[in-house]
Amino acid sequence: MKIAIGSDHAAFPLKSILVAHLREKGFEEILDMGTDTDSLPCDYPDIALKVGEMVAQRKADRGVLLCGTGVGMSIAANKMPGVYAAHCHDVETASMSRRHNNSNVLTLGARILSPETAVEILDVWLSTEFEGDRHSRRLSKIADYEQKICPSCCLSDKGKTVIFDHPLVQHKVSIIRDKNTSVKEFRELVQEIAGLMVYEITRNLPLVKIQVETPLALTDAYALEGKKLAIVPVLRAGLGMVDGILQLVPNAKVGHIGLYRDPETLMPVEYYCKLPGDISERDILILDPMLATGGSASAAISLVKARGGKKVSLVCIIAAPEGVSKVHGDHPDVDIFAAALDSHLNDHGYIVPGLGDAGDRLFGTK
Ligand code: PRP
Ligand code: URA
């Protein structure tokens, strides 16, 4: 088990005791996120958010946070979607916070607890399992809320479907649905919607601290760590989303998959596939405005995986429930990001209400 631990200056001595205790008990992967001394004051939110991030991003299995009372650490860590920080004064609360609440961060007060009690609480908390059952239902209500307020913050082992209900996205989707919208406007709006969606999808891209010299001073700043992205439009209609995304992430590599849907069988037919050589090292966004039966999207994902793609997400504008089920059924690890989830498919496999044939509307070929 990987444990991220942090404290402010007031709890630094307790942190040293707990780290030594964990090492003695055989926990080898302990990530000490600071602070490094008790002689300089530090701000508890800085440490709480570092540890919280490690847990929320699954870089650590559990987190432990210590400050004078433990309260500030718990307040700050619980701001982070995916963090369930339990502030515990006794063994019973620590045990219940695991059994019923599946807490993944423990906060303790160094000025409230003796080191012996803190060690006891920590041991119980680390060794107690979540009971699941009715408690899973309750926790999923919290997770649903987190997903609503921050769709891309929530990591999960299973593929999720995220519908972007941002007003700007919804407004633009209404215009592209309108049969009277011109090809020019349709094309522009598809780019804009794709850009807005990817702006949100990339919210958790890792940053590194850099130094920048402004005309006035040298200052700390942040730059993208350089996580490798690839976008893969499904031809034709997926091409309409590419430029809107490249404007935001100009260094993303672009692959192409050619698929069309046989009008009789509705089955996808492959006619082209060219992907970046290092696709296995990239986070991959497959682009297609329409997810109807899901046949094309599922085939595109299979093609990318067959060529080594590991972390794949699907970005579409309008999805049908049938397509969502198909993609999650065939590829349970893939997240689906959509701007709208429509009602159903008609007898010809078109999304209702949808927007008609996306390729034709983008390229004026009707
Ligand atoms: C459309 C759309 C998807 C597919 C969706 O492409 O862009 O790729 O249909 O349908 P499905 O979920 O039932 O597979 P189309 O086959 O019309 O090709 P085009 O983009 O070249 O027009
Ligand atoms: N492809 C489209 O372009 N539109 C649909 O509604 C379904 C498949």
Side-chain angles (χ1 to χ4, degrees):
M1 184 188 293
K2 217 185 250 185
I3 302 171
I5 187 165
S7 75
D8 70 357
H9 52 287
F12 179 76
L14 179 61
K15 185 179 69 171
S16 308
I17 292 170
L18 296 188
V19 168
H21 173 74
L22 287 171
R23 293 234 158 84
E24 218 171 277
K25 288 202 80 176
F27 290 95
E28 275 164 16
E29 292 193 280
I30 301 169
L31 310 163
D32 189 339
M33 310 304 294
T35 186
D36 303 327
T37 172
D38 54 0
S39 53
L40 277 179
C42 75
D43 296 335
Y44 65 82
D46 295 339
I47 306 289
L49 295 174
K50 270 192 207 163
V51 168
E53 212 160 72
M54 297 299 285
V55 173
Q57 294 184 3
R58 304 275 163 83
K59 291 177 186 159
D61 303 299
R62 300 273 190 90
V64 177
L65 284 166
L66 319 164
C67 63
T69 62
V71 172
M73 287 294 192
S74 133
I75 290 173
N78 274 318
K79 289 286 173 232
M80 193 157 288
V83 167
Y84 302 93
H87 180 46
C88 300
H89 287 328
D90 54 47
V91 165
E92 179 60 11
T93 315
S95 162
M96 291 298 279
S97 84
R98 286 288 310 136
R99 285 163 51 205
H100 287 191
N101 312 112
N102 202 16
S103 63
N104 51 17
V105 171
L106 172 69
T107 70
L108 299 172
R111 290 183 179 139
I112 310 290
L113 302 167
S114 67
E116 295 72 31
T117 309
V119 164
E120 229 182 305
I121 292 173
L122 178 64
D123 284 349
V124 166
W125 184 74
L126 285 173
S127 59
T128 306
E129 292 297 324
F130 176 51
E131 285 174 6
D133 198 17
R134 66 187 187 284
H135 308 296
S136 299
R137 184 183 75 239
R138 290 162 187 166
L139 286 176
S140 70
K141 293 189 175 183
I142 301 175
D144 287 351
Y145 179 73
E146 290 177 327
Q147 182 144 319
K148 192 169 143 220
I149 58 164
C150 184
S152 56
C153 297
C154 312
L155 299 182
S156 119
D157 298 332
K158 279 208 235 124
K160 59 182 185 277
T161 302
V162 179
I163 308 298
F164 287 93
D165 57 1
H166 192 287
L168 289 176
V169 172
Q170 293 307 310
H171 180 80
K172 289 172 196 291
V173 169
S174 304
I175 304 175
I176 58 170
R177 284 186 191 280
D178 186 337
K179 65 179 185 179
N180 296 314
T181 297
S182 69
V183 169
K184 174 178 178 292
E185 202 182 354
F186 188 94
R187 205 178 280 152
E188 288 166 359
L189 286 163
V190 166
Q191 301 289 7
E192 286 172 22
I193 293 167
L196 287 168
M197 290 178 72
V198 164
Y199 177 75
E200 184 57 37
I201 292 167
T202 51
R203 173 182 285 276
N204 285 328
L205 283 182
L207 293 170
V208 284
K209 223 178 205 173
I210 56 165
Q211 288 223 312
V212 171
E213 196 163 357
T214 77
L216 301 178
L218 195 63
T219 183
D220 284 344
Y222 293 94
L224 288 171
E225 193 184 60
K227 196 172 175 68
K228 294 174 162 184
L229 275 186
I231 56 175
V232 181
V234 176
L235 308 181
R236 286 176 302 168
L239 286 174
M241 302 167 76
V242 171
D243 286 349
I245 297 173
L246 286 180
Q247 272 184 14
L248 298 180
V249 222
N251 290 329
K253 292 274 165 57
V254 185
H256 293 87
I257 291 180
L259 284 175
Y260 71 88
R261 200 170 69 152
D262 184 291
E264 299 298 322
T265 63
L266 301 184
M267 296 306 288
V269 182
E270 180 194 335
Y271 60 90
Y272 187 74
C273 183
K274 179 84 183 166
L275 301 176
D278 57 355
I279 194 76
S280 59
E281 294 159 32
R282 293 181 176 268
D283 275 7
I284 304 151
L285 302 177
I286 295 183
L287 314 177
D288 194 328
M290 308 305 279
L291 176 62
T293 64
S296 307
S298 179
I301 296 165
S302 297
L303 273 172
V304 167
K305 285 183 174 174
R307 283 162 175 76
K310 294 193 179 75
K311 180 75 193 78
V312 185
S313 302
L314 174 67
V315 186
C316 45
I317 295 182
I318 299 191
E322 294 87 336
V324 170
S325 301
K326 165 89 178 150
V327 169
H328 280 327
D330 292 353
H331 302 284
D333 54 320
V334 169
D335 292 336
I336 301 173
F337 298 97
L341 182 61
D342 275 10
S343 155
H344 64 281
L345 298 179
N346 69 12
D347 293 344
H348 305 288
Y350 274 82
I351 301 175
V352 182
L355 49 72
D357 188 301
D360 284 345
R361 294 202 60 189
L362 271 167
F363 297 107
T365 43
K366 187 139 179 82

